[in-house]
Amino acid sequence: MFDKKNEDKTVIAENTLFKTAKCHPRPQSSITKGKSRRMKLLERSGCFSKPHSDVSYCRATTLDDLYNAYQLVHDIYVNKGYILPNHTGIRLRPFEVVPDTATFVAKVGEKIIGVTSVAMDSSGLGLPSDKAFRREIDILRHAGRKLCEGTNWVVAPEFRHSNVINELMRCSYAHVRTSGTQDWIVSVSPGHSAFFYEFFGFEIIGSQRSYSEKIDDPVVLLRLAIDRLDERFASIDINDNDDEAWLKNHYIVNNPYYNKIEEWTTKAETTFADTAFLREFFVDRSHFLEQCTLKDLDIISRRWGEETFLDVMGHSILCRSLSLPSVNYISSLTRLLCSQTA
């Protein structure tokens, strides 16, 4: 059913965002017949070549796949200067501790050679790009939009001139579309924004700024209105020889990953409901929870449930956290711990 009130809120939000970002949505009239120059360049680079028979794609739902995926993200991001190295050799954030974040991987045998993730917006965690674009993202939230964010975009150097990133994006798109999300946002370097803007039709809604407070990592914020794609592609014939026809065919009509999303989601939920998995991954192997702030720990405890959180953490790390000076940590988790250790 058409909701005129929410549609009006969305239009107001979009006008505000485009004015703030000093840019405009890509006009439909700019989409030309025939393959664009960018499409031809991407084809020549191998980005849209036929899939390698020895590369498989799936959602990471096992300890080894998740650990190796975030290890690859850490190594490539450090090498590119996007993040500072972590002594654990793995990049984890609170977003990665919940099944709401779907991480897709490309594998040759058991080796991870490509990664991308989709983080769903939530009142506790928010989205990764909130730290740089909170105002812009909040405008969409206040308009009642359901949001998600693409993150952890990496491909091993030896596979960069291949179709690996394209297949991972197909996995991500199938997940985003199936989730009922209305807006898919990404923060990317200005040099990569043209790929999303000119080819996929993302709109620039956040002007350039640093993604990190510790190092200079310039990014812009882009958004794709998922709920408008049916209208966008309604008159497109997939047999035409142009960009829009290729996108509709490849990502919507003949996307093989749609049929796998439900199975992958069930596996992920089962994995993240396993206390032994949570303890081995986030405490024993990655030592991630030891590095979290008290605020992060509180959010994680609420997402996992206090009983599971206590079981995973044990009392040693909590007692260390509670001994920190000048911290007002008054959640029911703390009260429960105090009652158990009194």
Side-chain angles (χ1 to χ4, degrees), residues 56-70 96 98-107 112 114-118 152 168 171 175 260 263-272 277 281:
S56 61
Y57 301 88
C58 65
R59 178 171 175 175
T61 58
T62 67
L63 176 62
D64 286 342
D65 279 355
L66 286 163
Y67 189 90
N68 293 334
Y70 298 136
E96 279 79 34
V98 294
D100 294 0
T101 295
T103 292
F104 302 97
V105 293
K107 302 170 66 176
I112 303 291
V115 182
T116 187
S117 300
V118 177
N152 292 330
L168 288 172
C171 290
H175 179 80
K260 300 181 180 181
E263 175 190 351
W264 288 347
T265 300
T266 299
K267 285 183 178 179
E269 290 173 347
T270 300
T271 296
F272 278 82
F277 160 80
F281 188 12

Side-chain angles (χ1 to χ4, degrees), residues 61-81:
T61 58
T62 67
L63 176 62
D64 286 342
D65 279 355
L66 286 163
Y67 189 90
N68 293 334
Y70 298 136
Q71 194 171 53
L72 181 65
V73 172
H74 172 273
D75 292 347
I76 290 179
Y77 277 17
V78 169
N79 182 261
K80 287 183 170 292

Side-chain angles (χ1 to χ4, degrees), residues 29-190:
S29 59
S30 70
I31 302 173
T32 58
K33 288 295 181 181
K35 291 183 179 179
S36 67
R37 177 175 175 274
R38 181 164 295 278
M39 178 68 163
K40 294 175 182 177
L41 288 173
L42 290 170
E43 285 182 329
R44 287 199 292 270
S45 74
C47 186
F48 300 139
S49 59
K50 291 183 179 180
H52 289 268
S53 59
D54 57 343
V55 180
S56 61
Y57 301 88
C58 65
R59 178 171 175 175
T61 58
T62 67
L63 176 62
D64 286 342
D65 279 355
L66 286 163
Y67 189 90
N68 293 334
Y70 298 136
Q71 194 171 53
L72 181 65
V73 172
H74 172 273
D75 292 347
I76 290 179
Y77 277 17
V78 169
N79 182 261
K80 287 183 170 292
Y82 296 161
I83 62 173
L84 296 173
N86 187 291
H87 70 278
T88 64
I90 185 171
R91 190 208 193 200
L92 285 173
R93 302 161 296 176
F95 306 100
E96 279 79 34
V97 307
V98 294
D100 294 0
T101 295
T103 292
F104 302 97
V105 293
K107 302 170 66 176
V108 175
E110 293 303 310
K111 181 182 179 182
I112 303 291
I113 53 94
V115 182
T116 187
S117 300
V118 177
M120 306 304 294
D121 194 20
S122 68
S123 58
L125 288 172
L127 290 170
S129 288
D130 275 323
K131 63 182 182 180
F133 297 99
R134 181 60 181 263
R135 179 181 178 277
E136 289 85 351
I137 296 172
D138 275 348
I139 289 174
L140 292 173
R141 289 185 179 119
H142 293 157
R145 307 286 289 177
K146 183 178 179 182
L147 314 177
C148 70
E149 179 171 351
T151 184
N152 292 330
W153 308 86
V154 298
V155 175
E158 62 269 29
F159 286 91
R160 283 179 188 158
H161 296 292
S162 73
N163 75 324
V164 167
I165 191 62
N166 178 53
E167 289 301 304
L168 288 172
M169 285 194 69
R170 292 175 85 190
C171 290
S172 294
Y173 178 83
H175 179 80
V176 170
R177 182 95 170 180
T178 304
S179 71
T181 297
Q182 294 170 300
D183 288 321
W184 185 10
I185 67 170
V186 295
S187 288
V188 297
S189 65

Side-chain angles (χ1 to χ4, degrees), residues 77 82 116-117 128-129 132-133 149-154 165 169 184-198 200 202-211 217-223:
Y77 277 17
Y82 296 161
T116 187
S117 300
S129 288
F133 297 99
E149 179 171 351
T151 184
N152 292 330
W153 308 86
V154 298
I165 191 62
M169 285 194 69
W184 185 10
I185 67 170
V186 295
S187 288
V188 297
S189 65
H192 292 146
S193 64
F195 174 72
F196 291 90
Y197 177 76
E198 295 179 12
F200 284 97
F202 279 74
E203 303 159 340
I204 301 173
I205 61 170
S207 57
Q208 182 175 319
R209 67 203 65 172
S210 180
Y211 191 77
D217 178 21
V219 294
V220 293
L221 183 68
L222 297 95
R223 166 235 190 187

